[in-house]
Amino acid sequence: MDDFEKAIGFSLPRDYRDFLIHKNGGVFSNALINPEKPGELLIDCLFGLGLPDQLSLQFWYDELKNDIPSNSLIVGSDAGGGFLLLCIEEDSSPVYYYDHSYLFQSSNDDQNTYLISKSFSELLMQLTRTNVA
């Protein structure tokens, strides 16, 4: 964990760090969340450390680090190919839906990220209310 934080250049929030230590990612079945914007999202996985490329935090960080804000991390994906973006800010760590492929009609070059939870813990609570595989 410390090596990963050193490689990305910032510390992870405690709730997300604890999740990685205890679960190190996860695959979901029917994990539907319904934020106001962009609408229904079917979350299919949360990434972890030391996993195969498509499930790896390091892989997605390396792949998209130039497309996301600094101190941010792609932590999961939905069934439509969008991503969950954890943004580490001074006093909070909100999670956004990053619609990089403009799946939703409301997405465009100026707006393709949507706040879906105030923290990783809040997102995890939303996900665990649904069926976890």
Side-chain angles (χ1 to χ4, degrees):
M1 183 79 58
D2 293 335
D3 290 341
F4 178 68
E5 288 177 321
K6 191 174 189 178
I8 62 174
F10 57 91
S11 296
L12 300 174
R14 171 60 57 202
D15 59 348
Y16 187 59
R17 195 172 218 280
D18 288 346
F19 169 78
L20 289 175
I21 290 168
H22 297 290
K23 299 289 185 184
N24 197 34
V27 176
F28 295 87
S29 175
N30 302 316
L32 185 68
I33 62 173
N34 196 11
E36 185 176 322
K37 288 186 179 180
E40 286 186 347
L41 300 172
L42 187 60
I43 307 304
D44 61 359
C45 68
L46 296 174
F47 305 138
L49 296 170
L51 299 177
D53 285 353
Q54 300 298 313
L55 298 173
S56 167
L57 285 170
Q58 187 69 58
F59 173 84
W60 287 112
Y61 179 77
D62 292 342
E63 191 76 15
L64 296 171
K65 66 183 171 191
N66 295 325
D67 297 334
I68 61 175
S70 60
N71 293 353
S72 295
L73 189 63
I74 300 291
V75 297
S77 65
D78 77 332
F83 293 106
L84 303 177
L85 179 67
L86 178 66
C87 295
I88 292 83
E89 300 172 355
E90 188 174 313
D91 57 350
S92 66
S93 299
V95 179
Y96 293 85
Y97 178 72
Y98 173 39
D99 187 12
H100 76 293
S101 61
Y102 307 142
L103 176 68
F104 288 94
Q105 192 172 13
S106 60
S107 295
N108 57 49
D109 287 343
D110 296 324
Q111 172 61 43
N112 68 342
T113 56
Y114 306 90
L115 179 67
I116 59 173
S117 66
K118 294 177 185 173
S119 68
F120 184 77
S121 293
E122 183 179 291
L123 174 67
L124 208 51
M125 287 181 3
Q126 291 175 47
L127 291 172
T128 55
R129 286 186 207 132
T130 59
N131 185 20
V132 179

